[in-house]
Amino acid sequence: MRASATLAILFAATVRLNHSFAPSDPSLLALSRLASRQAARHPAGLRSSPNDLFDAEGWQSIKSELDECPVFAVADDEGNPIKYTIERGGVSKSVPLFYTHVEDAQLELQKAKEKNLIPGIDLNPYPLGEIFQMWAKDDAVLVPNKASIVNAGAPPNAVAIGQQVPLFGCMEIANESEDGKPVLPLFLELEDARLAVNEAVGADGGNSENFEIIAMNLNEAVGLLSNSKESAFMFIPPTSSLKHIRDYLQG
């Protein structure tokens, strides 16, 4: 990835550093109920092909929203992600691995450096929308965090590679989009969703125990957006990933 593209991702991600949460706007209730039913029918971990979504009318706006959420990969000194050989259905294929949580990518970087595979390797951020398309076409592996998939209902011995990317949201809270409209924040980290609930409750009073956090997977959320007339979700990266980017930008 070119340096200019990397910087664009970094600066876009800093927008996610400044957000506040409040009780949900009534206009979002219909989508909230739909998302709740969708999550109940299809727990995170079930795989469905999202390829047919890319021809949908609203895909480009969805991709733009996803692209502001960074994922990370071990890359060479030119920003090209390192490829790994994996097997699917008895067929070997070389694809890059992209991690939703920077700490998982850092562990992979450490392993790669210990093996001395390629000089000058480092972590690089990539836009989630672009990587989501690659993942859907089996041209990449999108690796969720192990704790996140367990929090979403996977068994404790589940392997993160090959699992759906879980998202966590509370349908009773809202954030404000760039155009001032209320949107439902979907978090890649459960603890961030809990903190957002506490913030919303603190702003309006009430009991956070009455605010249910549900899990859905990434392509379910994209599917819901593709059938919506306007953007209604905001994808929030893990706090650890945003801190990594902020520290990088501050030198």
Side-chain angles (χ1 to χ4, degrees):
M1 179 173 290
R2 296 189 304 273
S4 59
T6 299
L7 287 174
I9 297 167
L10 293 174
F11 281 116
T14 60
V15 174
R16 298 296 193 247
L17 288 168
N18 301 303
H19 46 63
S20 59
F21 305 97
S24 184
D25 188 279
S27 65
L28 294 175
L29 287 178
L31 184 61
S32 299
R33 296 190 186 102
L34 178 59
S36 298
R37 292 195 299 268
Q38 184 85 345
R41 289 196 302 268
H42 303 289
L46 293 179
R47 183 178 177 87
S48 58
S49 175
N51 285 285
D52 56 343
L53 299 174
F54 302 140
D55 293 328
E57 183 178 350
W59 165 244
Q60 284 305 315
S61 63
I62 297 170
K63 181 178 181 297
S64 295
E65 177 63 32
L66 288 171
D67 279 345
E68 294 191 13
C69 187
V71 292
F72 299 86
V74 178
D76 62 23
D77 55 4
E78 294 184 353
N80 300 308
I82 305 302
K83 292 186 177 182
Y84 300 78
T85 300
I86 63 171
E87 282 196 12
R88 284 181 176 171
V91 178
S92 296
K93 187 174 183 179
S94 294
V95 295
L97 304 183
F98 297 92
Y99 294 85
T100 61
H101 287 55
V102 70
E103 57 267 32
D104 295 328
Q106 288 170 331
L107 289 175
E108 185 59 40
L109 175 63
Q110 181 180 346
K111 293 177 185 177
K113 286 184 173 180
E114 289 172 354
K115 293 178 180 178
N116 295 317
L117 294 177
I118 300 175
I121 57 175
D122 205 345
L123 286 189
N124 213 48
Y126 298 85
L128 178 56
E130 179 179 329
I131 304 311
F132 180 81
Q133 283 186 284
M134 292 176 61
W135 167 81
K137 298 174 182 177
D138 289 332
D139 291 332
V141 174
L142 192 53
V143 186
N145 176 257
K146 172 66 178 288
S148 292
I149 65 173
V150 173
N151 286 332
N157 62 347
V159 177
I161 292 180
Q163 296 287 335
Q164 286 281 354
V165 174
L167 301 170
F168 303 93
C170 176
M171 302 309 162
E172 285 77 34
I173 68 173
N175 200 355
E176 189 174 283
S177 65
E178 293 181 3
D179 59 4
K181 295 181 180 179
V183 291
L184 297 173
L186 293 177
F187 299 84
L188 276 84
E189 174 63 46
L190 175 60
E191 184 58 29
D192 292 336
R194 288 172 174 161
L195 291 174
V197 166
N198 290 336
E199 181 180 336
V201 170
D204 195 56
N207 188 343
S208 61
E209 294 182 359
N210 296 328
F211 287 64
E212 180 185 9
I213 295 175
I214 68 166
M216 70 174 72
N217 64 53
L218 177 59
N219 49 315
E220 287 170 353
V222 171
L224 287 171
L225 286 178
S226 68
N227 293 316
S228 177
K229 293 183 179 180
E230 58 184 37
S231 179
F233 293 150
M234 175 179 284
F235 299 94
I236 309 294
T239 296
S240 58
S241 296
L242 294 177
K243 182 181 183 299
H244 174 82
I245 288 175
R246 180 182 59 200
D247 292 346
Y248 176 86
L249 290 175
Q250 292 176 348

